[in-house]
Amino acid sequence: MTRIFPIQTENMAEYWDQVAPFLGLAADRYSKDYDITDVWDALLQKKALLFGIEVDGVLMGAMTVAPDHQPKRKMLDIELVGGKNADKWYYDTIQQLTAFAKQAGYDALRSNARQGWRKMAKHSGFKETSVTYELEI
């Protein structure tokens, strides 16, 4: 059974050594913009929320999410997702995160993800709404 659970700021130090490697794998893809230390700082400043992901009582992953309030919608951005054997927990994780977001008054979940997540995102009900282009200058 998959269970996601919020890790409160005051409990982050207790979990950090376990979740940082999962988040670090995801953050490495964005190393030109931020690193795992920046993730820690954002969590401490409450700019993002941290969730642990357990399967049958074993910590298998972690994710960070951040609120984005637009004039017409309140969205929860999935920023980083990392872990092992994601095929065992991804779908249940998205269902539970959706329930969490709905209860908290959000209108949508949003994620910018690498191409490898495309199939799982589609099967979880996400719709591709944009493609990001970047030009280094």
Side-chain angles (χ1 to χ4, degrees):
M1 182 176 141
T2 301
R3 177 179 83 96
I4 69 168
F5 58 98
I7 300 172
Q8 304 299 325
T9 306
E10 57 272 11
N11 299 326
M12 274 182 19
E14 176 185 342
Y15 287 94
W16 192 248
D17 287 343
Q18 298 170 67
V19 299
F22 298 138
L23 296 175
L25 291 172
D28 285 349
R29 295 190 175 276
Y30 305 102
S31 61
K32 64 184 175 187
D33 296 321
Y34 58 86
D35 62 23
I36 197 68
T37 303
D38 299 313
V39 173
W40 171 265
D41 291 341
L43 292 165
L44 281 180
Q45 295 168 22
K46 299 186 179 188
K47 293 179 180 176
L49 305 169
L50 175 62
F51 285 87
I53 303 165
E54 288 182 343
V55 177
D56 297 326
V58 177
L59 191 64
M60 299 288 282
M63 77 174 130
T64 61
V65 298
D68 181 13
H69 298 198
Q70 297 297 324
K72 295 185 179 185
R73 290 197 308 166
K74 183 177 172 184
M75 291 176 282
L76 191 61
D77 286 339
I78 302 170
E79 294 185 320
L80 297 174
V81 178
K84 52 188 173 186
N85 301 321
D87 58 317
K88 294 182 180 188
W89 48 261
Y90 179 78
Y91 300 108
D92 291 338
T93 296
I94 295 302
Q95 286 180 337
Q96 291 177 41
L97 184 62
T98 300
F100 169 86
K102 188 173 185 176
Q103 183 178 0
Y106 287 91
D107 299 303
L109 294 179
R110 182 175 57 191
S111 180
N112 291 321
R114 62 183 175 83
Q115 292 292 325
W117 288 100
R118 177 178 264 162
K119 184 177 178 183
M120 285 194 278
K122 182 177 180 182
H123 285 20
S124 294
F126 283 89
K127 292 179 179 57
E128 192 171 308
T129 59
S130 65
V131 176
T132 302
Y133 297 95
E134 185 175 300
L135 174 65
E136 293 283 336
I137 54 172

